């Protein structure tokens, strides 16, 4: 019996910023005082083309990020590709509480992605990959906290209730 969810960053607004960047660079290269010659481009090491290609590469890498979250009888496992290639298991023995928590991505953690809590609370870490406001909150026995955003919050909540009643896991609240 296992719950599994896969998420990735959906940053549609990055494409708008990229379009603005492309328009600015192309307009400078083509229209500024008759445009740039090949010799000028060569002398600048083709910097205008790098100004267009580098943001494309960064956005491509950001869109390839994928988080896998698994909840099962042994504990909670997760991996955040490409930074983690193997699942990391968080055992039920090390977890004090697990519950569904409401959060504010911008107000509490300062944005999306892998974040630490704002205001110097370094024991709180979050994997926020969507624009929802509820996620799986984990509190460990050593005082640290970990939050995972979820697209399937109702299914996850039902799975946690089922897991608690079937296997009597005390950490699930």
């Amino acid at each position: 019996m296992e719950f599994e969810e896969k998420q990735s960053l959906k940053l549609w607004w990055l494409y708008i910023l990229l379009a603005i960047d492309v328009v600015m660079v192309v307009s400078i290269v083509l229209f500024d005082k008759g445009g740039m010659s090949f010799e000028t481009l060569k002398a600048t090491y083709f910097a205008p083309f790098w100004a267009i290609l580098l943001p494309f590469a960064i956005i491509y890498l950001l869109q390839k990020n994928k988080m896998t979250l698994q909840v099962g009888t042994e504990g909670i496992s997760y991996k955040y590709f490409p930074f983690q290639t193997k699942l990391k298991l968080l055992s039920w023995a090390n977890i004090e509480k697990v519950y569904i928590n409401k959060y504010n991505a911008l107000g509490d953690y300062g944005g999306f992605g892998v974040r630490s809590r704002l205001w110097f609370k370094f024991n709180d870490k979050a994997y926020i990959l969507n624009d929802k406001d509820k996620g799986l909150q984990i509190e460990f026995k050593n005082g640290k906290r970990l939050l995972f955003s979820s697209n399937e919050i109702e299914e996850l909540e039902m799975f946690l209730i089922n897991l608690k009643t079937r296997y009597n896991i005390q950490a699930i609240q």
Side-chain angles (χ1 to χ4, degrees):
M1 189 163 116
E2 189 171 272
F3 172 83
E4 182 175 67
E5 180 180 4
K6 294 184 180 185
Q7 298 181 52
S8 61
L9 283 171
K10 306 262 190 280
L11 303 173
W12 57 269
W13 51 270
L14 279 177
Y15 293 109
I16 294 172
L17 292 177
L18 185 61
I20 292 169
D21 174 54
V22 168
V23 167
M24 287 175 35
V25 170
V26 169
S27 66
I28 290 171
V29 169
L30 295 180
F31 303 119
D32 185 39
K33 297 180 187 173
M36 294 181 83
S37 66
F38 182 74
E39 289 80 25
T40 309
L41 281 173
K42 193 173 174 184
T44 60
Y45 301 105
F46 298 97
F49 294 113
W50 290 112
I52 293 173
L53 291 177
L54 192 61
F56 269 111
I58 292 171
I59 290 174
Y60 177 77
L61 290 175
L62 284 175
Q63 294 296 330
K64 290 297 174 186
N65 288 349
K66 205 170 274 316
M67 185 189 70
T68 305
L69 176 67
Q70 296 176 347
V71 181
T73 56
E74 301 87 33
I76 300 169
S77 303
Y78 70 96
K79 78 175 176 183
Y80 188 52
F81 183 82
F83 305 109
Q84 293 173 306
T85 56
K86 295 180 181 177
L87 285 170
K88 182 176 180 181
L89 177 66
L90 307 171
S91 172
W92 290 119
N94 298 330
I95 297 174
E96 182 155 341
K97 285 198 266 185
V98 174
Y99 54 93
I100 304 299
N101 189 20
K102 188 171 181 150
Y103 64 90
N104 182 348
L106 292 174
D108 294 339
Y109 295 97
F112 300 93
V114 181
R115 312 293 289 190
S116 290
R117 192 160 180 117
L118 293 176
W119 316 117
F120 304 105
K121 295 181 180 177
F122 297 115
N123 287 336
D124 290 358
K125 189 175 180 181
Y127 290 83
I128 302 174
L129 300 175
N130 61 26
D131 57 351
K132 307 273 195 263
D133 63 346
K134 288 186 180 179
L136 181 67
Q137 181 73 56
I138 303 168
E139 293 183 13
F140 295 98
K141 291 182 178 175
N142 62 5
K144 293 186 178 187
R145 296 171 55 163
L146 187 59
L147 175 77
F148 292 102
S149 64
S150 178
N151 289 326
E152 304 169 1
I153 201 71
E154 291 84 18
E155 292 90 351
L156 178 59
E157 191 169 22
M158 292 304 293
F159 181 80
L160 287 175
I161 291 169
N162 194 6
L163 195 65
K164 180 180 175 94
T165 56
R166 185 175 287 182
Y167 294 102
N168 197 20
I169 298 173
Q170 298 300 318
I172 300 173
Q173 300 293 315

